Amino acid sequence: MNLNHAKTVLVTGGSGFVGIHCILQLLEQGYIVKTTLRSMNRQDEVINMLKTGGITSFENLSFIETNLSKDDNWDEAAKGCDYILHVATPISLAIPKDENEVILPAVEGTIRVLKAAKKAGVKRVVLTSSFAAVGYSHTDPTTLITEECWTDPTDKTLSAYLKSKTLAEKAAWDFIAAEGNGLELTVINPMGIFGPSLGPDISSGFEVLKQMLDGSMKFIPKISFGIVDVRDVADLHLRAMTNPAANGQRFLAFAGEIISLPQIAYLLKSKLGNRAIKVSTRILPNWAVIIIALFNDKVKNIVPQLNKIKNSSNQKAKTILDWKPRTSEEALLASAESLFQFGTLKI
């Protein structure tokens, strides 16, 4: 018996890495799913990814064209929905000339979705935020980073992307407090998202693994971060969507341990054999990263990550939502397999 047949969920950004896994799990659980795309030309791509994930029937899936920067079609997208998973976000690895190119679409897009949700009588919105909004102003290595922590958006060292995630989440909570009128909000704050890709359009987060495996990263910077499998991020969204205790809460999403790039390099070498033959294990000292950043914009993005404390807890999601994440190792190796599977890497 299909328990969810009457429930309709809107997933924004259906062609994205997290969005597609959310759609996959919703369809598997019997929900009716609407998803937004910036261009309807990507419908076939989404359907092919879902087929890769094992979906065979698409009668419960529909598409609507929207853009975070425009009002068009948001009311139509939210109409008739019980829940919204607002996953879509503007991502740019390049450093914009004006940070507002990244910040404004993130903030204004979030408000557009919340306004449409309120107008449509949606019960709850689950917003995909980021660890970027939680832990980037944390300076005390003896204290765990939890959902109570916030990144300071006035911090001059923050990249436009980190600032955009912080300001968009703050705007969401402010909207709910000021004019939510019963609309519920839950926020998911993932760390680095890895895991299996369902198609050849590989997530931008995989770039670091690709550079390690193809040998273009000759030296490994000493950056540490938490990792979470995309399947577990999607699972956490679904749990947060329906659990009454999740209303008004934030949930940090990561596997549970902090891992460094040098550790990842050793992991790839130990588990992938000949396929990791080009992976370097030579470590790049922090002072060298800072010097290279003067001449290289991509490296400039790394500098704010040096010496950042990321010691965090995922206890809240595990306790309140009974969330059981996979290990960092499983997520990383699944990403590496996707890079090989979709021909992104030629070894």
Side-chain angles (χ1 to χ4, degrees):
M1 183 179 158
N2 197 334
L3 298 176
N4 301 315
H5 69 280
K7 301 291 184 191
T8 301
V9 184
L10 173 68
V11 179
T12 69
S15 61
F17 187 40
V18 175
I20 195 70
H21 277 275
C22 287
I23 295 169
L24 177 68
Q25 292 186 22
L26 287 164
L27 290 173
E28 284 174 343
Q29 292 183 28
Y31 288 95
I32 297 164
V33 181
K34 294 166 81 172
T35 189
T36 68
L37 299 173
R38 282 197 302 267
S39 165
M40 293 300 252
N41 295 336
R42 301 196 75 175
Q43 282 185 79
D44 288 347
E45 187 184 333
V46 169
I47 284 170
N48 285 333
M49 286 194 283
L50 292 169
K51 284 179 179 173
T52 300
I55 299 296
T56 53
S57 168
F58 297 92
E59 62 188 7
N60 285 346
L61 177 66
S62 59
F63 298 91
I64 190 156
E65 190 171 317
T66 62
N67 188 312
L68 290 174
S69 302
K70 293 178 183 163
D71 289 334
D72 306 2
N73 290 343
W74 282 110
D75 286 348
E76 184 60 33
K79 192 173 163 188
C81 291
D82 298 279
Y83 305 104
I84 295 178
L85 305 184
H86 179 36
V87 185
T89 187
I91 285 190
S92 171
L93 290 182
I95 296 175
K97 289 188 171 61
D98 178 357
E99 63 180 15
N100 284 323
E101 291 172 32
V102 178
I103 292 168
L104 288 179
V107 173
E108 292 172 358
T110 297
I111 298 304
R112 279 189 176 93
V113 171
L114 290 171
K115 281 183 172 170
K118 179 181 153 187
K119 192 171 173 182
V122 167
K123 178 176 172 56
R124 181 178 296 175
V125 174
V126 181
L127 169 68
T128 315
S129 182
S130 168
F131 180 74
V134 180
Y136 275 82
S137 300
H138 192 82
T139 53
D140 178 7
T142 62
T143 308
L144 272 182
I145 297 170
T146 69
E147 289 81 359
E148 303 299 312
C149 302
W150 275 94
T151 296
D152 176 7
T154 65
D155 182 345
K156 296 283 188 282
T157 67
L158 292 183
S159 70
Y161 174 71
L162 296 176
K163 198 179 285 191
S164 76
K165 295 304 283 188
T166 307
L167 291 170
E169 189 189 334
K170 280 187 175 290
W173 289 119
D174 290 347
F175 176 88
I176 292 294
E179 48 187 306
N181 288 359
L183 175 64
E184 297 179 355
L185 177 67
T186 303
V187 174
I188 308 297
N189 301 85
M191 287 196 174
I193 304 173
F194 291 86
S197 182
L198 297 177
D201 187 8
I202 299 291
S203 163
S204 57
F206 285 26
E207 187 62 30
V208 66
L209 280 188
K210 184 173 182 293
Q211 288 175 6
M212 283 181 169
L213 288 162
D214 68 14
S216 59
M217 193 185 289
K218 306 292 184 199
F219 296 91
I220 312 296
K222 290 191 286 186
I223 297 169
S224 297
F225 47 91
I227 280 169
V228 61
D229 193 293
V230 66
R231 293 165 289 188
D232 297 322
V233 178
D235 173 54
L236 190 53
H237 277 72
L238 270 63
R239 289 169 184 268
M241 181 177 86
T242 55
N243 191 312
N247 179 31
Q249 302 295 326
R250 310 167 89 195
F251 293 96
L252 271 174
F254 76 112
E257 71 278 359
I258 303 302
I259 190 167
S260 69
L261 285 183
Q263 285 175 302
I264 292 172
Y266 283 112
L267 170 70
L268 296 174
K269 275 204 160 318
S270 68
K271 297 292 184 183
L272 295 177
N274 283 339
R275 293 190 294 172
I277 200 150
K278 293 180 182 173
V279 175
S280 170
T281 52
R282 290 179 293 181
I283 291 172
L284 187 65
N286 289 357
W287 60 264
V289 176
I290 291 164
I291 290 170
I292 295 167
L294 298 173
F295 314 100
N296 183 315
D297 271 356
K298 273 191 177 172
V299 178
K300 197 179 287 183
N301 265 340
I302 292 174
V303 173
Q305 310 270 3
L306 299 173
N307 301 317
K308 283 288 186 203
I309 299 148
K310 308 251 178 83
N311 190 20
S312 309
S313 170
N314 63 0
Q315 201 55 46
K316 185 174 174 182
K318 284 166 44 173
T319 304
I320 295 178
L321 300 178
D322 195 29
W323 185 59
K324 296 179 174 70
R326 293 165 176 81
T327 62
S328 301
E329 180 176 306
E330 191 174 341
L332 287 162
L333 292 175
S335 295
E337 290 298 341
S338 291
L339 287 169
F340 294 118
Q341 178 186 351
F342 291 108
T344 316
L345 273 174
K346 302 283 189 288
I347 297 293

